[in-house]
Amino acid sequence: MLLINANKGKAALAAGVVFLTFLGVSRLSLAAALPRFRGRPALASRRCEWNDPEAHGLSSSKLAELAADFEKRYIRAGLLKGAVVAIVKSGKVIALWELGNYTSNTVFKLYSISKVFTAIAGLQLCEELGISLDTPISQIVPEWPMDLCDESGAKMPPLLLRHCLTHTGGFSKTLPTVHPVGSFRPVELERLRSQVCGATKAARNLKEAVELEGKHPHIFAPGQHFNYCGVGSQLVARAVEEATGMNIAEYMDKRIFKPAGMESTGTEGLDKASHAEPFADYHPWVLPAVAAALPGRWNRMRLRLRGFLGQLCGCPLIDDIKPAGSAVVLPTKLWDRSLSLFHPDAGVIGTGSDFVKWLQVMSSGKLMGATGAKEVFSQFVLDSLSTPTTPELQAPFAFDASPSRRMFPVRGDLRGGRQRPFNSFPGQRFSLGACVVTDPGKVGLPRRAEGAWHWMGFASTYFFVNRREELSACFLTQLISHRTYPLLDELVKGVHESLL
């Protein structure tokens, strides 16, 4: 019997070797046979807009070189289908490029940049209603429990509003696309198993989502560590809902987007037929992490296989995983009007032109119009986003953070499955809603990048705002994951090096 089993094992191993060898030898033919895997050469740049960079303290030649480098290495090489790149100085659009297939009219899924809008809503709440950042969440979100516990059942200090704005709440909810499964604590693993088995109860609205989250233990005491997680944004949104009587989608539209002139941004489907909503493409390397959270063994196996074959074929992107508008992992649309659950941590979408308007406003807090400047966001909100409040986002304060020399580590930098690269931001600290560069030399940035605050979204949407220099910029595309290429580092460095 043992001999038979051994022979079967050898036969299976031999079959596997033959199969992998065949795939390796047939790499080119396989890529040709699976055209959906292949990166398609993007169109040349459609539009370039200039507004006298030198008069605003920027080098036009260096900016042109930066844009040309983006286009050559990413768009023409087929790594990305396109991008919208914009530079704003002193509230004016100095340069804008529409590269490849994307234009300013394209609707982009902003994913985690949504957290910044939610933070703005929470900061407005503090300023206008006099709510302290040290207010326990249980006092402003009625469904959140007063008493918290860790995995052992030991009681912990209360969760404060400040913790929810700085990713220091210690929540046990996470995803393999955020932190590697090897770094999960037991309660995080148990919650993942429950999700893939279909045993997790689905929330019908944000209040239910928060109520369900309050029943789970924390992995550390609030305020003890930085650990990137979307639950804090959900709690901030619920505090806004309770105080204003509006759901977070209505509040953002009325108090953030419309005042900033952003008519084509929101958490629901956009009605204007002229807007082209793109697919979010996937790089093959991220598919195993996406698969790890999917219900159904066959679904997970199929997606892992697609990722394996895509990497084997050297494919830069896969563009037919899900229909346009689908959520990060689950097939439900984040902005479907039929839903009563809005996602304040990942659900905002908007056009490229709207996002550039937002950058203009964030540089000064004002919207420039025909009759002059109108204040949109107060000095308190602007200062809160640009002023660091936490220690440096490195271990031990940053929970299981991996060492890095980039401001934002990407896939080639990731080592050690037990570490959490998304917690690693060397030379940076967190404000009440964003990441702030405090030591640019640590990550190879120019000295004048100090004070710039930034964030990014899962589909490779990036931006920064430097109020000291009255400078801001964005790079918007639609490739999952945002850790595929060092686009944020290149954007921040390249634009600051263009300052005269």
Side-chain angles (χ1 to χ4, degrees):
M1 180 65 69
L2 290 176
L3 182 60
I4 293 174
N5 289 337
N7 289 335
K8 286 184 177 179
K10 291 179 181 179
L13 179 61
V17 170
V18 170
F19 175 68
L20 291 176
T21 302
F22 168 76
L23 289 178
V25 172
S26 306
R27 177 169 173 163
L28 294 177
S29 59
L30 182 61
L34 299 173
R36 292 181 298 179
F37 281 147
R38 305 176 68 188
R40 298 172 175 84
L43 301 174
S45 56
R46 294 178 171 182
R47 176 184 166 212
C48 176
E49 177 182 315
W50 290 96
N51 187 9
D52 197 1
E54 273 73 18
H56 296 86
L58 288 162
S59 167
S60 57
S61 61
K62 288 186 177 180
L63 289 178
E65 184 180 344
L66 176 65
D69 188 54
F70 279 141
E71 183 172 23
K72 177 182 178 181
R73 293 193 299 116
Y74 294 110
I75 313 301
R76 291 186 181 275
L79 303 183
L80 300 173
K81 287 186 179 177
V84 172
V85 184
I87 316 296
V88 175
K89 186 76 161 67
S90 304
K92 297 181 179 179
V93 180
I94 304 304
L96 185 147
W97 295 270
E98 296 176 342
L99 306 176
N101 296 333
Y102 297 160
T103 73
S104 298
N105 205 40
T106 297
V107 176
F108 292 92
K109 293 182 276 292
L110 300 178
Y111 287 108
S112 286
I113 291 178
S114 308
K115 295 177 174 67
V116 179
F117 297 126
T118 302
I120 291 174
L123 293 168
Q124 290 175 330
L125 189 70
C126 292
E127 182 179 29
E128 296 168 10
L129 298 184
I131 296 177
S132 169
L133 291 166
D134 295 317
T135 301
I137 284 293
S138 59
Q139 293 183 13
I140 51 179
V141 179
E143 66 270 19
W144 188 256
M146 294 178 60
D147 299 322
L148 304 178
C149 65
D150 63 14
E151 296 180 75
S152 69
K155 290 187 177 181
M156 293 193 301
L159 178 72
L160 309 180
L161 179 57
R162 178 186 304 277
H163 301 144
C164 296
L165 290 165
T166 56
H167 296 281
T168 55
F171 308 109
S172 59
K173 182 177 181 179
T174 190
L175 288 169
T177 50
V178 177
H179 300 302
V181 174
S183 72
F184 281 21
R185 297 304 190 262
V187 65
E188 294 172 311
L189 280 173
E190 182 57 37
R191 294 186 67 175
L192 177 62
R193 293 190 190 102
S194 178
Q195 177 177 321
V196 299
C197 292
T200 301
K201 181 180 178 181
R204 293 171 297 179
N205 51 53
L206 190 56
K207 183 177 181 179
E208 280 192 11
V210 166
E211 186 175 10
L212 289 169
E213 185 61 36
K215 297 177 181 179
H216 294 284
H218 289 226
I219 57 174
F220 56 78
Q224 185 178 3
H225 296 288
F226 172 92
N227 185 57
Y228 179 74
C229 176
V231 174
S233 294
Q234 294 178 350
L235 285 163
V236 171
R238 277 293 298 131
V240 171
E241 291 182 341
E242 284 293 316
T244 65
M246 294 184 280
N247 68 44
I248 191 60
E250 295 168 337
Y251 182 92
M252 285 185 179
D253 186 61
K254 182 178 180 180
R255 292 298 313 279
I256 298 176
F257 302 139
K258 290 292 171 51
M262 302 164 69
E263 297 291 336
S264 299
T265 299
T267 56
E268 299 177 271
L270 301 178
D271 294 327
K272 299 179 181 179
S274 60
H275 297 318
E277 183 183 334
F279 284 83
D281 304 319
Y282 287 73
H283 192 283
W285 84 274
V286 79
L287 292 186
V290 175
L294 287 178
R297 181 176 298 179
W298 169 241
N299 290 333
R300 294 193 295 274
M301 185 183 302
R302 181 172 54 185
L303 203 55
R304 288 191 184 106
L305 180 60
R306 292 208 65 185
F308 169 75
L309 291 177
Q311 292 192 75
L312 188 67
C313 296
C315 304
L317 56 86
I318 299 175
D319 62 7
D320 67 334
I321 297 294
K322 298 174 189 170
S326 61
V328 177
V329 173
L330 302 179
T332 307
K333 285 191 174 184
L334 285 171
W335 42 87
D336 189 330
R337 286 188 182 277
S338 67
L339 298 178
S340 58
L341 174 59
F342 300 101
H343 295 258
D345 55 329
V348 174
I349 62 172
T351 60
S353 59
D354 264 14
F355 198 83
V356 175
K357 290 178 184 177
W358 183 69
L359 289 181
Q360 292 178 269
V361 170
M362 294 313 296
S363 298
S364 62
K366 298 178 181 179
L367 176 66
M368 302 301 295
T371 58
K374 179 184 70 173
E375 183 178 276
V376 178
F377 302 122
S378 69
Q379 199 64 34
F380 170 76
V381 170
L382 298 177
D383 288 344
S384 297
L385 288 171
S386 59
T387 304
T389 63
T390 70
E392 184 182 10
L393 302 181
Q394 289 289 272
F397 175 70
F399 197 60
D400 291 343
S402 54
S404 174
R405 294 183 179 180
R406 296 188 196 273
M407 64 181 298
F408 188 59
V410 294
R411 62 188 171 112
D413 308 325
L414 309 185
R415 292 179 177 84
R418 297 188 179 276
Q419 294 179 316
R420 302 193 175 202
F422 210 144
N423 288 343
S424 180
F425 295 89
Q428 298 157 86
R429 298 162 60 193
F430 215 78
S431 69
L432 297 172
C435 211
V436 184
V437 177
T438 54
D439 189 349
K442 278 193 173 182
V443 286
L445 296 178
R447 177 182 55 82
R448 294 172 74 177
E450 183 178 356
W453 62 273
H454 66 87
W455 204 238
M456 72 298 293
F458 189 51
S460 301
T461 50
Y462 312 90
F463 79 92
F464 76 84
V465 176
N466 188 333
R467 292 179 62 212
R468 295 180 187 176
E469 302 288 348
E470 296 186 340
L471 179 69
S472 57
C474 67
F475 184 106
L476 307 177
T477 187
Q478 293 286 265
L479 177 72
I480 295 174
S481 154
H482 53 338
R483 287 192 174 278
T484 304
Y485 304 116
L487 291 163
L488 179 63
D489 288 63
E490 293 171 2
L491 177 71
V492 176
K493 182 178 181 180
V495 174
H496 280 90
E497 286 181 342
S498 300
L499 287 167
L500 296 174

